[in-house]
Amino acid sequence: MSTAAVIGRNILSNWAGFASQIVITFLLTPYIVNSLGNTYYGIWALVISLTGYYGLLDLGFSAGLTQYVSRYYAKRDFERLNETVSTGFVVLAACAGALLVGTVVLALLANRVFEIPAHAAHDVQLAILIVGGGVAIQFLFFPYSAVFPATQRFDISNAIGIGTRLLFALSVWLALDQGYGLVGVSVASAASGLVDYLIRLLVSYRLVPTLRVRPRLANMARGWELAHFGIWNIVIAGSVRLISYTSAIIIALFLPAAAITPFALASNLSEYFMRIFVPIGQVFFPVFTEHDARGDEKAIRVLFLNGTRLLAVLALPAGLLAYWLSDEFFALWIGEAAKRGEFPSAAGLFSVLILASVVSAVQRVSYQVLLGTRRMRILAVCFIIEGVANLLLSVGLVRPFGLYGVAFGTILPALIIEGVVFPLLICRLYSIRFREYLLKVLGPAVLITLVLYPMLYAIGSISRPATWTGLVLDGGAAAVIVGVLIFNLGMSTEERQRFVWKPISSLRRRCRTGAN
């Protein structure tokens, strides 16, 4: 298949995988919130935040595996590929052992550090042990997962993910229906994750029949490669987790556990919005790696500009649309839990956090450029600054401004680092004039958003939906308007011909052939 065809297939399969996650989350979250209650759901969000930091203990070797397995597979150097996978397996096995010990320590200390109600203390310890233990065991299987991006078979990877997400949803429903509460949800999460990795292990040998994972193949040369790449990646991963998981921990330190719930709902939804665009960014990583291995900077430059423009014309108007529908969506989705009570509403917090998600979504290709070309230090420094600024601002603003203080502590560093610094750096690295970036990449997206806003305002002034049917109709009408604006203002004549008219003509020919 051509590069464009592979990228297209992978983007579509990534979107299918993400769509399944969105649907499952959409249907399952209200059930979990109403079954557990605000306090226990807040504790569950805290457990996820704490165990989210576990990924740091792989010392960056998982990212190094993805990088070097992709490189050696592209060169068809299967000897070094097997040495790399085997070395990663040995190192991650040691990390898994350390992680199991850390999980026990964390479970013992959690009730002393955070404001956990006495009646929930035992369940919190069990949840940490189960979820943390499951993550530790999954470390052993990650080397096999690196095969999927290396072979650019995101479609198979997503098919596995969809199946195990459905298993997770079914398991959670059964656990809560039988009254197992927080502990039952934890077991469902750990078990479905292990099943996912076991399936990936089996499939990886079908994708690369020459794959061999043997401890005797591990060696220092491959270890130093992984470590060199991993040093900066661990800094990046730590900074990203500081950004993603710090909020719930800060809230738990300064406010009651129930305060985590509206922030977690808003934060999770804004995160899911950003992750709509992750499937586009992900598929560029192996392509940038391949171009970098060949020294083709021109191809990298063109791909960066076109990919970022695509993300911008999608993310900016979509963010405005999400903001416009947020109040009604949360009211219908969560019900009573969405209303403002002792703490700010989830919809109000979402209207702030969505700004950071839009900026992050637009820069997904920028991250892949730096990762694929092994410029880890630049990426690490930027994320360190953003993560530390996020932490300091959130801690400083939580007491005077409560949950809104934590929200503003999240978005301000993102707007500066990801919205300004990242594009400046990429433009400098690849000799792109920043004015060209602003006009050709961001210009169409800003124009579409400015035209869209008064249209949405006009629709909202007529009526606001009070039912799911009304919300879907309003959202659908707005989506059609967005599509028309993107077609006319966000695409060139060549792109309209290639991505719209040509596929339509091809579909018509197939229909005529089938009719005959």
Side-chain angles (χ1 to χ4, degrees):
M1 297 177 67
S2 67
T3 298
V6 171
I7 289 176
R9 179 195 67 189
N10 289 337
I11 288 175
L12 291 175
S13 65
N14 278 357
W15 266 337
F18 180 71
S20 71
Q21 189 174 9
I22 287 290
V23 170
I24 290 171
T25 300
F26 173 77
L27 296 175
L28 201 59
T29 298
Y31 181 66
I32 297 175
V33 172
N34 293 325
S35 298
L36 295 180
N38 279 355
T39 297
Y40 273 96
Y41 184 81
I43 291 172
W44 171 243
L46 177 62
V47 170
I48 295 300
S49 296
L50 290 172
T51 55
Y53 282 97
Y54 282 19
L56 297 177
L57 293 180
D58 71 359
L59 305 178
F61 275 80
S62 58
L65 278 166
T66 302
Q67 169 68 231
Y68 283 98
V69 170
S70 296
R71 283 182 175 271
Y72 291 137
Y73 184 82
K75 296 178 178 180
R76 297 301 187 266
D77 188 344
F78 294 108
E79 180 180 352
R80 289 190 177 183
L81 185 150
N82 288 331
E83 290 177 353
T84 299
V85 176
S86 298
T87 302
F89 178 84
V90 171
V91 173
L92 291 177
C95 292
L99 194 56
L100 287 173
V101 175
T103 296
V104 175
V105 174
L106 180 61
L108 294 174
L109 295 178
N111 294 316
R112 300 179 184 180
V113 176
F114 303 106
E115 294 186 22
I116 305 297
H119 62 85
H122 182 64
D123 286 349
V124 170
Q125 289 182 327
L126 285 177
I128 292 174
L129 288 172
I130 294 167
V131 176
V135 173
I137 295 172
Q138 289 172 26
F139 270 44
L140 297 173
F141 300 104
F142 184 83
Y144 301 96
S145 297
V147 168
F148 293 87
T151 57
Q152 299 195 44
R153 294 311 304 262
F154 291 87
D155 53 334
I156 299 176
S157 178
N158 280 297
I160 297 170
I162 291 171
T164 52
R165 287 187 198 105
L166 291 172
L167 175 63
F168 167 72
L170 178 61
S171 302
V172 168
W173 179 80
L174 290 173
L176 293 176
D177 184 63
Q178 296 299 314
Y180 291 108
L182 179 64
V183 175
V185 174
S186 302
V187 172
S189 175
S192 59
L194 291 176
V195 170
D196 183 277
Y197 274 87
L198 282 170
I199 296 173
R200 292 176 191 275
L201 182 154
L202 297 174
V203 175
S204 65
Y205 283 100
R206 299 294 298 272
L207 293 176
V208 183
T210 58
L211 180 65
R212 300 290 182 270
V213 182
R214 305 284 188 272
R216 62 181 176 79
L217 296 178
N219 59 67
M220 290 299 296
R222 302 289 81 78
W224 280 117
E225 278 185 344
L226 297 177
H228 179 74
F229 188 89
I231 287 172
W232 292 110
N233 190 79
I234 196 68
V235 175
I236 294 170
S239 302
V240 170
R241 281 165 173 76
L242 199 63
I243 296 166
S244 302
Y245 299 116
T246 297
S247 299
I249 296 173
I250 291 173
I251 295 169
L253 289 171
F254 293 96
L255 298 172
I260 301 174
T261 295
F263 194 95
L265 291 170
S267 179
N268 289 343
L269 193 62
S270 63
E271 177 75 11
Y272 278 120
F273 171 86
M274 185 273 293
R275 289 174 62 186
I276 293 173
F277 306 94
V278 170
I280 299 177
Q282 283 178 333
V283 301
F284 283 91
F285 170 76
V287 183
F288 283 131
T289 299
E290 184 176 345
H291 288 321
D292 182 57
R294 296 174 179 174
D296 192 347
E297 290 194 357
K298 181 180 178 181
I300 293 175
R301 181 164 53 249
V302 171
L303 201 58
F304 162 71
L305 290 173
N306 290 335
T308 305
R309 181 168 57 85
L310 169 65
L311 285 168
V313 299
L314 292 173
L316 264 68
L320 178 60
L321 182 59
Y323 166 79
W324 179 63
L325 293 172
S326 59
D327 283 331
E328 290 76 12
F329 177 83
F330 276 102
L332 293 169
W333 184 38
I334 304 299
E336 291 296 321
K339 296 180 180 179
R340 181 186 178 98
E342 182 182 357
F343 306 105
S345 68
L349 294 167
F350 175 81
S351 66
V352 177
L353 294 172
I354 190 64
L355 293 174
S357 294
V358 169
V359 171
S360 183
V362 172
Q363 295 304 321
R364 301 316 301 179
V365 176
S366 298
Y367 310 152
Q368 303 305 324
V369 170
L370 296 173
L371 287 171
T373 59
R374 295 180 291 182
R375 288 184 167 93
M376 303 295 293
R377 181 179 300 182
I378 297 173
L379 197 60
V381 171
C382 290
F383 276 126
I384 287 171
I385 295 172
E386 182 180 349
V388 172
N390 185 327
L391 174 63
L392 295 177
L393 284 172
S394 296
V395 171
L397 296 176
V398 65
R399 285 194 181 279
F401 301 106
L403 296 181
Y404 276 115
V406 179
F408 279 106
T410 299
I411 69 165
L412 292 177
L415 293 175
I416 296 171
I417 301 299
E418 300 186 45
V420 178
V421 175
F422 268 124
L424 280 172
L425 287 171
I426 300 296
C427 288
R428 182 176 179 181
L429 286 170
Y430 290 97
S431 302
I432 301 170
R433 289 181 300 173
F434 193 63
R435 182 177 179 179
E436 178 185 1
Y437 172 84
L438 292 176
L439 292 176
K440 293 185 178 180
V441 175
L442 297 185
V446 173
L447 179 60
I448 291 170
T449 305
L450 291 175
V451 174
L452 177 63
Y453 181 78
M455 294 182 176
L456 295 181
Y457 182 82
I459 295 174
S461 64
I462 297 173
S463 66
R464 299 299 292 179
T467 64
W468 281 115
T469 301
L471 185 70
V472 171
L473 290 175
D474 278 9
V480 170
I481 294 173
V482 170
V484 172
L485 291 175
I486 291 175
F487 179 82
N488 288 283
L489 302 177
M491 301 176 70
S492 65
T493 302
E494 180 184 354
E495 288 170 338
R496 294 190 198 105
Q497 178 64 31
R498 181 177 181 182
F499 298 113
V500 179
W501 301 126
K502 187 175 180 180
I504 291 176
S505 298
S506 177
L507 181 62
R508 286 177 177 173
R509 286 195 299 270
R510 291 181 182 179
C511 291
R512 289 171 184 169
T513 303
N516 294 331

